[in-house]
Every structure is written in structure tokens, then in C-alpha cells.
Coordinates of all heavy atoms in Angstrom, one line a residue:
M18 N -26.9 -53.5 -75.0 CA -27.7 -52.9 -74.1 C -27.0 -51.7 -73.4 O -27.0 -51.6 -72.2 CB -28.2 -54.0 -73.1 CG -28.9 -55.1 -73.7 SD -29.6 -56.3 -72.5 CE -30.1 -57.6 -73.6
R19 N -26.5 -50.9 -74.2 CA -25.6 -49.8 -73.8 C -26.5 -48.6 -73.4 O -27.3 -48.2 -74.1 CB -24.7 -49.3 -74.9 CG -23.7 -50.3 -75.3 CD -22.9 -49.8 -76.4 NE -22.6 -50.9 -77.3 CZ -22.5 -50.7 -78.6 NH1 -22.7 -49.6 -79.2 NH2 -22.3 -51.8 -79.4
G20 N -26.1 -48.0 -72.2 CA -26.7 -46.8 -71.8 C -28.2 -46.8 -71.5 O -28.8 -45.7 -71.4
I21 N -28.8 -47.9 -71.3 CA -30.2 -48.0 -71.0 C -30.3 -48.7 -69.6 O -29.7 -49.7 -69.4 CB -31.0 -48.8 -72.0 CG1 -30.9 -48.1 -73.4 CG2 -32.5 -48.9 -71.6 CD1 -31.5 -48.9 -74.5
L22 N -31.0 -48.0 -68.7 CA -31.2 -48.6 -67.3 C -31.9 -50.0 -67.5 O -33.0 -50.1 -68.0 CB -32.0 -47.7 -66.4 CG -32.1 -48.2 -65.0 CD1 -30.7 -48.3 -64.3 CD2 -32.9 -47.3 -64.2
T23 N -31.2 -51.0 -67.0 CA -31.7 -52.4 -67.2 C -31.6 -53.1 -65.9 O -30.6 -53.0 -65.1 CB -30.8 -53.1 -68.2 OG1 -30.8 -52.4 -69.4 CG2 -31.4 -54.5 -68.6
L24 N -32.6 -54.0 -65.6 CA -32.6 -54.8 -64.4 C -32.0 -56.2 -64.9 O -32.5 -56.8 -65.8 CB -34.0 -55.0 -63.9 CG -34.2 -56.1 -62.8 CD1 -33.4 -55.7 -61.6 CD2 -35.6 -56.3 -62.5
Y25 N -31.0 -56.6 -64.2 CA -30.4 -57.9 -64.4 C -30.6 -58.8 -63.2 O -30.5 -58.4 -62.1 CB -28.8 -57.8 -64.6 CG -28.5 -57.0 -65.8 CD1 -28.2 -55.6 -65.7 CD2 -28.4 -57.6 -67.1 CE1 -27.8 -54.9 -66.9 CE2 -28.0 -56.9 -68.2 CZ -27.8 -55.5 -68.1 OH -27.4 -54.8 -69.2
I26 N -31.1 -60.0 -63.5 CA -31.4 -61.0 -62.4 C -30.5 -62.2 -62.6 O -30.6 -62.8 -63.7 CB -32.9 -61.3 -62.3 CG1 -33.7 -60.1 -62.1 CG2 -33.1 -62.4 -61.3 CD1 -35.2 -60.3 -62.0
D27 N -29.7 -62.6 -61.6 CA -28.8 -63.7 -61.8 C -29.6 -65.0 -61.5 O -30.8 -65.0 -61.2 CB -27.6 -63.6 -60.9 CG -27.8 -63.8 -59.4 OD1 -29.0 -64.0 -59.0 OD2 -26.8 -63.7 -58.7
Q28 N -28.9 -66.2 -61.6 CA -29.5 -67.5 -61.5 C -30.0 -67.7 -60.1 O -30.8 -68.6 -59.9 CB -28.6 -68.6 -62.0 CG -27.4 -68.9 -61.1 CD -26.2 -68.1 -61.5 OE1 -26.2 -67.0 -62.0 NE2 -25.0 -68.8 -61.3
Y29 N -29.6 -66.9 -59.1 CA -30.0 -67.1 -57.8 C -31.2 -66.2 -57.4 O -31.7 -66.2 -56.3 CB -28.9 -66.9 -56.8 CG -27.7 -67.8 -57.1 CD1 -26.5 -67.2 -57.6 CD2 -27.8 -69.1 -57.0 CE1 -25.4 -68.0 -57.9 CE2 -26.7 -69.9 -57.3 CZ -25.5 -69.4 -57.7 OH -24.4 -70.2 -58.0
G30 N -31.5 -65.3 -58.3 CA -32.6 -64.3 -58.1 C -32.2 -63.0 -57.6 O -33.0 -62.2 -57.2
A31 N -30.9 -62.8 -57.5 CA -30.4 -61.5 -57.0 C -30.5 -60.4 -58.1 O -30.0 -60.6 -59.1 CB -28.9 -61.6 -56.5
P32 N -31.1 -59.3 -57.8 CA -31.3 -58.2 -58.8 C -30.2 -57.2 -58.7 O -29.6 -56.9 -57.7 CB -32.6 -57.5 -58.4 CG -32.6 -57.7 -56.9 CD -32.0 -59.0 -56.6
I33 N -29.8 -56.7 -59.9 CA -28.8 -55.6 -60.0 C -29.3 -54.7 -61.1 O -29.6 -55.1 -62.2 CB -27.4 -56.2 -60.4 CG1 -26.8 -57.0 -59.3 CG2 -26.4 -55.0 -60.7 CD1 -25.5 -57.6 -59.6
W34 N -29.4 -53.4 -60.8 CA -29.7 -52.4 -61.8 C -28.4 -51.8 -62.3 O -27.6 -51.4 -61.5 CB -30.6 -51.3 -61.2 CG -32.0 -51.7 -60.9 CD1 -32.5 -52.2 -59.8 CD2 -33.1 -51.6 -61.8 NE1 -33.9 -52.4 -59.9 CE2 -34.2 -52.0 -61.2 CE3 -33.2 -51.2 -63.2 CZ2 -35.5 -52.1 -61.8 CZ3 -34.4 -51.2 -63.8 CH2 -35.6 -51.7 -63.1
A35 N -28.3 -51.7 -63.6 CA -27.1 -51.1 -64.2 C -27.4 -50.4 -65.5 O -28.3 -50.8 -66.3 CB -26.0 -52.2 -64.4
W36 N -26.6 -49.4 -65.8 CA -26.7 -48.6 -67.1 C -25.9 -49.3 -68.2 O -26.3 -49.2 -69.3 CB -26.3 -47.2 -66.9 CG -27.2 -46.4 -66.0 CD1 -27.2 -46.2 -64.7 CD2 -28.4 -45.7 -66.5 NE1 -28.2 -45.4 -64.3 CE2 -29.0 -45.1 -65.4 CE3 -29.0 -45.5 -67.8 CZ2 -30.2 -44.3 -65.5 CZ3 -30.1 -44.8 -67.9 CH2 -30.7 -44.2 -66.7
T37 N -24.8 -49.9 -67.8 CA -23.9 -50.4 -68.9 C -23.4 -51.8 -68.4 O -23.5 -52.2 -67.2 CB -22.7 -49.5 -69.1 OG1 -21.9 -49.5 -67.9 CG2 -23.0 -48.2 -69.6
V38 N -22.8 -52.6 -69.3 CA -22.3 -53.9 -69.0 C -21.1 -53.7 -68.1 O -20.9 -54.6 -67.1 CB -21.9 -54.7 -70.3 CG1 -21.3 -56.0 -69.9 CG2 -23.1 -54.9 -71.1
S39 N -20.3 -52.7 -68.2 CA -19.1 -52.5 -67.4 C -19.6 -52.2 -65.9 O -19.0 -52.7 -65.0 CB -18.2 -51.4 -67.9 OG -18.9 -50.2 -68.0
E40 N -20.7 -51.5 -65.8 CA -21.2 -51.2 -64.4 C -21.8 -52.5 -63.8 O -21.6 -52.8 -62.6 CB -22.3 -50.2 -64.5 CG -22.9 -49.8 -63.2 CD -24.1 -48.8 -63.3 OE1 -24.3 -48.3 -64.4 OE2 -24.7 -48.6 -62.2
L41 N -22.4 -53.4 -64.7 CA -22.9 -54.7 -64.2 C -21.7 -55.5 -63.7 O -21.8 -56.2 -62.7 CB -23.7 -55.4 -65.3 CG -24.1 -56.8 -65.0 CD1 -25.1 -56.9 -63.9 CD2 -24.7 -57.4 -66.3
R42 N -20.7 -55.5 -64.5 CA -19.5 -56.3 -64.2 C -18.9 -55.9 -62.9 O -18.5 -56.7 -62.0 CB -18.4 -56.2 -65.3 CG -17.2 -57.0 -65.1 CD -16.3 -56.8 -66.2 NE -15.1 -57.6 -66.0 CZ -13.9 -57.2 -66.1 NH1 -13.6 -55.9 -66.5 NH2 -12.8 -58.0 -65.9
Q43 N -18.8 -54.6 -62.7 CA -18.3 -54.0 -61.4 C -19.1 -54.4 -60.2 O -18.6 -54.8 -59.2 CB -18.1 -52.5 -61.5 CG -17.6 -51.9 -60.3 CD -17.6 -50.3 -60.4 OE1 -18.2 -49.8 -61.4 NE2 -17.0 -49.7 -59.5
K44 N -20.5 -54.3 -60.4 CA -21.4 -54.6 -59.3 C -21.5 -56.1 -59.0 O -21.8 -56.4 -57.8 CB -22.8 -54.0 -59.6 CG -22.9 -52.5 -59.5 CD -24.3 -52.1 -59.8 CE -24.4 -50.6 -59.7 NZ -25.8 -50.1 -59.9
S45 N -21.2 -56.9 -59.9 CA -21.3 -58.4 -59.7 C -20.1 -59.0 -59.2 O -20.0 -60.2 -59.0 CB -21.8 -59.0 -61.0 OG -20.8 -59.0 -62.0
G46 N -19.0 -58.2 -59.1 CA -17.8 -58.8 -58.6 C -16.7 -59.1 -59.6 O -15.6 -59.6 -59.3
G47 N -16.9 -58.8 -60.9 CA -16.0 -58.9 -61.9 C -15.9 -60.3 -62.5 O -16.5 -61.2 -62.1
G48 N -15.0 -60.4 -63.5 CA -14.8 -61.6 -64.2 C -15.0 -61.4 -65.7 O -15.2 -60.3 -66.2
R49 N -14.8 -62.5 -66.5 CA -14.9 -62.4 -67.9 C -16.4 -62.3 -68.3 O -17.2 -62.9 -67.8 CB -14.3 -63.7 -68.5 CG -14.4 -63.7 -70.0 CD -13.7 -64.9 -70.6 NE -12.3 -64.9 -70.2 CZ -11.4 -65.8 -70.7 NH1 -11.8 -66.8 -71.4 NH2 -10.2 -65.7 -70.3
V50 N -16.6 -61.4 -69.3 CA -18.0 -61.1 -69.8 C -18.2 -61.9 -71.1 O -17.4 -61.8 -72.0 CB -18.2 -59.6 -70.0 CG1 -19.6 -59.3 -70.5 CG2 -18.0 -58.9 -68.7
A51 N -19.4 -62.5 -71.2 CA -19.8 -63.1 -72.5 C -21.3 -62.9 -72.6 O -22.0 -62.8 -71.6 CB -19.5 -64.6 -72.5
R52 N -21.7 -62.8 -73.9 CA -23.2 -62.7 -74.1 C -23.9 -64.0 -73.9 O -23.3 -65.1 -74.2 CB -23.4 -62.2 -75.6 CG -23.1 -60.8 -75.8 CD -23.4 -60.5 -77.2 NE -23.7 -59.1 -77.3 CZ -24.6 -58.6 -78.2 NH1 -25.1 -59.3 -79.1 NH2 -24.8 -57.3 -78.2
M53 N -25.1 -63.9 -73.4 CA -25.9 -65.1 -73.2 C -27.1 -65.1 -74.2 O -27.7 -64.1 -74.5 CB -26.5 -65.1 -71.8 CG -27.3 -66.4 -71.4 SD -27.6 -66.5 -69.7 CE -28.7 -65.1 -69.4
Y54 N -27.3 -66.3 -74.8 CA -28.4 -66.4 -75.9 C -29.4 -67.5 -75.5 O -29.1 -68.4 -74.7 CB -27.8 -66.8 -77.2 CG -26.8 -65.8 -77.8 CD1 -25.5 -65.8 -77.5 CD2 -27.3 -64.8 -78.6 CE1 -24.6 -64.8 -78.0 CE2 -26.5 -63.8 -79.1 CZ -25.1 -63.8 -78.8 OH -24.3 -62.9 -79.3
V55 N -30.6 -67.3 -76.0 CA -31.6 -68.4 -75.8 C -32.3 -68.6 -77.2 O -32.4 -67.7 -78.0 CB -32.7 -67.9 -74.8 CG1 -33.5 -66.7 -75.3 CG2 -33.6 -69.0 -74.4
D56 N -32.6 -69.9 -77.4 CA -33.3 -70.3 -78.7 C -34.8 -70.0 -78.5 O -35.4 -70.5 -77.6 CB -33.0 -71.7 -79.0 CG -31.6 -72.0 -79.3 OD1 -30.9 -71.1 -79.9 OD2 -31.1 -73.1 -79.0
K57 N -35.3 -69.2 -79.5 CA -36.8 -69.0 -79.4 C -37.5 -70.1 -80.1 O -37.2 -70.6 -81.1 CB -37.1 -67.6 -80.2 CG -36.4 -66.4 -79.5 CD -37.0 -66.1 -78.1 CE -38.3 -65.6 -78.2 NZ -38.9 -65.1 -77.0
V58 N -38.6 -70.5 -79.5 CA -39.5 -71.6 -80.0 C -40.7 -71.0 -80.7 O -41.1 -71.7 -81.7 CB -39.9 -72.5 -78.8 CG1 -40.6 -73.7 -79.3 CG2 -38.8 -72.8 -77.9
S59 N -41.2 -69.9 -80.3 CA -42.4 -69.3 -81.0 C -42.2 -67.8 -81.2 O -41.2 -67.2 -80.7 CB -43.6 -69.6 -80.1 OG -43.5 -69.0 -78.9
G60 N -43.1 -67.2 -81.9 CA -43.1 -65.8 -82.1 C -42.3 -65.4 -83.4 O -42.0 -66.3 -84.2
P61 N -42.1 -64.1 -83.6 CA -41.5 -63.7 -84.9 C -40.0 -64.2 -85.0 O -39.5 -64.3 -86.1 CB -41.5 -62.2 -84.8 CG -41.7 -61.9 -83.4 CD -42.4 -63.0 -82.7
N62 N -39.4 -64.5 -83.9 CA -38.0 -65.0 -84.0 C -37.9 -66.5 -83.8 O -36.8 -67.0 -83.3 CB -37.1 -64.2 -83.0 CG -36.9 -62.8 -83.3 OD1 -36.7 -62.5 -84.5 ND2 -36.9 -61.9 -82.3
A63 N -38.9 -67.2 -84.1 CA -38.9 -68.7 -83.8 C -37.8 -69.3 -84.6 O -37.5 -69.0 -85.8 CB -40.3 -69.3 -84.3
G64 N -37.1 -70.2 -84.0 CA -36.0 -70.9 -84.6 C -34.7 -70.2 -84.6 O -33.7 -70.6 -85.2
R65 N -34.6 -69.0 -84.0 CA -33.4 -68.2 -83.9 C -32.9 -68.0 -82.5 O -33.7 -68.1 -81.6 CB -33.7 -66.8 -84.5 CG -34.1 -66.8 -85.9 CD -34.2 -65.3 -86.4 NE -34.6 -65.3 -87.8 CZ -34.9 -64.2 -88.4 NH1 -34.9 -63.0 -87.8 NH2 -35.2 -64.2 -89.7
A66 N -31.6 -67.8 -82.4 CA -31.1 -67.5 -81.1 C -31.1 -66.0 -80.9 O -30.8 -65.2 -81.8 CB -29.6 -68.0 -81.0
V67 N -31.5 -65.5 -79.7 CA -31.6 -64.1 -79.4 C -30.8 -63.8 -78.1 O -30.7 -64.6 -77.2 CB -33.1 -63.6 -79.2 CG1 -33.8 -63.7 -80.5 CG2 -33.8 -64.4 -78.1
H68 N -30.2 -62.6 -78.1 CA -29.4 -62.2 -77.0 C -30.4 -61.9 -75.8 O -31.3 -61.1 -75.9 CB -28.6 -60.9 -77.4 CG -27.8 -60.3 -76.3 ND1 -27.8 -59.0 -76.1 CD2 -27.1 -60.8 -75.3 CE1 -27.0 -58.7 -75.1 NE2 -26.6 -59.8 -74.6
C69 N -30.1 -62.5 -74.6 CA -31.1 -62.3 -73.5 C -30.4 -61.9 -72.2 O -31.0 -61.6 -71.2 CB -31.8 -63.6 -73.2 SG -30.8 -65.0 -72.7
G70 N -29.0 -61.7 -72.2 CA -28.3 -61.3 -71.0 C -26.8 -61.5 -71.1 O -26.3 -61.6 -72.3
Y71 N -26.2 -61.6 -70.0 CA -24.7 -61.8 -69.9 C -24.3 -62.8 -68.9 O -25.0 -63.1 -67.9 CB -24.1 -60.5 -69.6 CG -24.2 -59.4 -70.6 CD1 -25.3 -58.5 -70.6 CD2 -23.4 -59.3 -71.7 CE1 -25.4 -57.5 -71.5 CE2 -23.6 -58.4 -72.7 CZ -24.6 -57.5 -72.6 OH -24.8 -56.5 -73.6
V72 N -23.2 -63.5 -69.2 CA -22.5 -64.3 -68.3 C -21.3 -63.6 -67.8 O -20.5 -63.2 -68.6 CB -22.1 -65.7 -68.9 CG1 -21.4 -66.5 -67.9 CG2 -23.3 -66.4 -69.5
I73 N -21.2 -63.4 -66.5 CA -20.0 -62.7 -65.9 C -19.4 -63.6 -64.8 O -20.0 -63.9 -63.8 CB -20.4 -61.3 -65.3 CG1 -21.0 -60.5 -66.4 CG2 -19.2 -60.7 -64.7 CD1 -21.5 -59.1 -66.0
G74 N -18.2 -64.0 -65.1 CA -17.5 -65.0 -64.2 C -18.3 -66.3 -64.1 O -18.6 -66.9 -65.2
S75 N -18.8 -66.7 -62.9 CA -19.6 -67.9 -62.8 C -21.1 -67.6 -62.7 O -21.8 -68.5 -62.4 CB -19.1 -68.7 -61.6 OG -19.3 -67.9 -60.4
R76 N -21.5 -66.3 -62.8 CA -22.9 -66.0 -62.7 C -23.4 -65.6 -64.1 O -22.7 -65.0 -64.9 CB -23.0 -64.8 -61.8 CG -22.6 -65.1 -60.4 CD -22.5 -63.8 -59.5 NE -23.8 -63.2 -59.2 CZ -23.9 -62.1 -58.6 NH1 -22.8 -61.4 -58.2 NH2 -25.1 -61.6 -58.4
W77 N -24.7 -65.9 -64.3 CA -25.4 -65.5 -65.5 C -26.6 -64.6 -65.2 O -27.3 -64.8 -64.2 CB -25.8 -66.7 -66.4 CG -26.5 -67.8 -65.8 CD1 -26.0 -68.9 -65.2 CD2 -27.9 -67.9 -65.6 NE1 -27.0 -69.7 -64.7 CE2 -28.2 -69.1 -65.0 CE3 -29.0 -67.1 -66.0 CZ2 -29.5 -69.6 -64.6 CZ3 -30.3 -67.6 -65.7 CH2 -30.5 -68.8 -65.0
F78 N -26.7 -63.6 -66.0 CA -27.7 -62.5 -65.7 C -28.7 -62.4 -66.9 O -28.3 -62.2 -68.0 CB -27.1 -61.2 -65.5 CG -26.2 -61.1 -64.3 CD1 -24.8 -61.5 -64.4 CD2 -26.7 -60.7 -63.1 CE1 -24.0 -61.4 -63.3 CE2 -25.9 -60.6 -62.0 CZ -24.6 -61.0 -62.1
S79 N -30.0 -62.5 -66.6 CA -31.0 -62.3 -67.6 C -31.4 -60.8 -67.5 O -31.5 -60.2 -66.4 CB -32.3 -63.1 -67.3 OG -32.0 -64.5 -67.4
A80 N -31.5 -60.2 -68.7 CA -31.8 -58.7 -68.7 C -33.3 -58.4 -68.9 O -34.0 -59.1 -69.7 CB -31.0 -58.1 -69.9
F81 N -33.7 -57.4 -68.2 CA -35.1 -56.9 -68.3 C -35.1 -55.4 -68.3 O -34.5 -54.8 -67.5 CB -35.9 -57.4 -67.1 CG -36.0 -58.9 -66.9 CD1 -35.0 -59.6 -66.2 CD2 -37.0 -59.6 -67.6 CE1 -35.1 -60.9 -66.0 CE2 -37.0 -61.0 -67.4 CZ -36.1 -61.6 -66.7
R82 N -35.8 -54.8 -69.3 CA -35.9 -53.4 -69.4 C -37.3 -52.9 -69.1 O -38.3 -53.5 -69.5 CB -35.6 -52.9 -70.8 CG -34.1 -53.1 -71.1 CD -33.8 -52.5 -72.5 NE -32.5 -52.7 -72.8 CZ -32.0 -52.7 -74.0 NH1 -32.8 -52.4 -75.0 NH2 -30.7 -52.9 -74.3
P83 N -37.4 -51.8 -68.3 CA -38.8 -51.3 -68.0 C -39.4 -50.7 -69.2 O -38.7 -50.0 -70.0 CB -38.5 -50.3 -66.9 CG -37.1 -49.9 -67.0 CD -36.4 -51.1 -67.6
I84 N -40.7 -50.8 -69.4 CA -41.4 -50.1 -70.5 C -42.5 -49.4 -70.0 O -43.1 -49.7 -68.9 CB -41.9 -51.2 -71.6 CG1 -42.9 -52.1 -71.0 CG2 -40.7 -51.9 -72.2 CD1 -43.6 -52.9 -72.0
E85 N -43.0 -48.4 -70.7 CA -44.2 -47.6 -70.3 C -45.2 -47.7 -71.4 O -44.9 -47.5 -72.6 CB -43.8 -46.1 -70.1 CG -42.9 -45.9 -69.0 CD -42.5 -44.4 -68.8 OE1 -43.1 -43.6 -69.6 OE2 -41.8 -44.1 -67.9
V86 N -46.4 -48.1 -71.0 CA -47.5 -48.3 -71.9 C -48.6 -47.4 -71.5 O -49.0 -47.3 -70.3 CB -48.0 -49.8 -71.9 CG1 -49.1 -50.0 -72.8 CG2 -46.8 -50.7 -72.2
P87 N -49.2 -46.6 -72.4 CA -50.3 -45.7 -72.1 C -51.5 -46.5 -71.5 O -51.8 -47.6 -71.9 CB -50.7 -45.1 -73.4 CG -49.7 -45.5 -74.4 CD -48.9 -46.6 -73.8
A88 N -52.1 -45.9 -70.5 CA -53.3 -46.6 -69.9 C -54.5 -46.5 -70.8 O -54.7 -45.8 -71.6 CB -53.6 -45.9 -68.5

């Protein structure tokens, strides 16, 4: 998720906007960074694990990207 403005929400509901993972790490207080995955139950990726955010220190962040859809 490099170089794309992304909204990260931690397990407590605190939002952080960041362009890169290093910026997210800095804003969240630092710590070891690991990717977070979720197992998909339905859809085109059913039965697969997909990357959904990051774990930094003792906090985990779900990633959300803004999209624009024509009206």
C-alpha cells in the first residue's frame, strides 16, 4: 500500500491517515511492523487469505482507501 493515501483504523476505532507504512508507524508510536491478513469466505477470493492492514507494536490497523465512482 505504498504511496497511496490510506485511512487506517485501529482496534479501538482511532483513525490515522498515512501515505506510507513508515508514516503510519511513526504516527502510531512505533514498534515492529507485520502484515495483517483475513480469510475470505465469499467472493472471487473465497478460501484465500488477503492482506487487509498492518500490525504495529500492540495495535492492529485495518486499511481503507477512498474511491471515486461516477454519479
Side-chain angles (χ1 to χ4, degrees):
M18 301 189 187
R19 295 181 219 143
I21 299 172
L22 184 60
T23 306
L24 171 64
Y25 296 95
I26 300 179
D27 72 0
Q28 71 265 34
Y29 306 112
I33 296 178
W34 285 92
W36 288 94
T37 62
V38 177
S39 60
E40 182 181 355
L41 173 64
R42 181 178 182 230
Q43 179 184 10
K44 289 182 176 181
S45 67
R49 183 176 294 185
V50 178
R52 284 179 153 214
M53 184 169 64
Y54 295 90
V55 65
D56 293 326
K57 296 296 285 185
V58 188
S59 61
N62 291 321
R65 295 183 180 174
V67 294
H68 176 222
C69 65
Y71 293 95
V72 178
I73 300 177
S75 62
R76 297 169 69 184
W77 49 269
F78 295 89
S79 296
F81 300 91
R82 291 188 182 159
I84 61 167
E85 294 181 2
V86 179

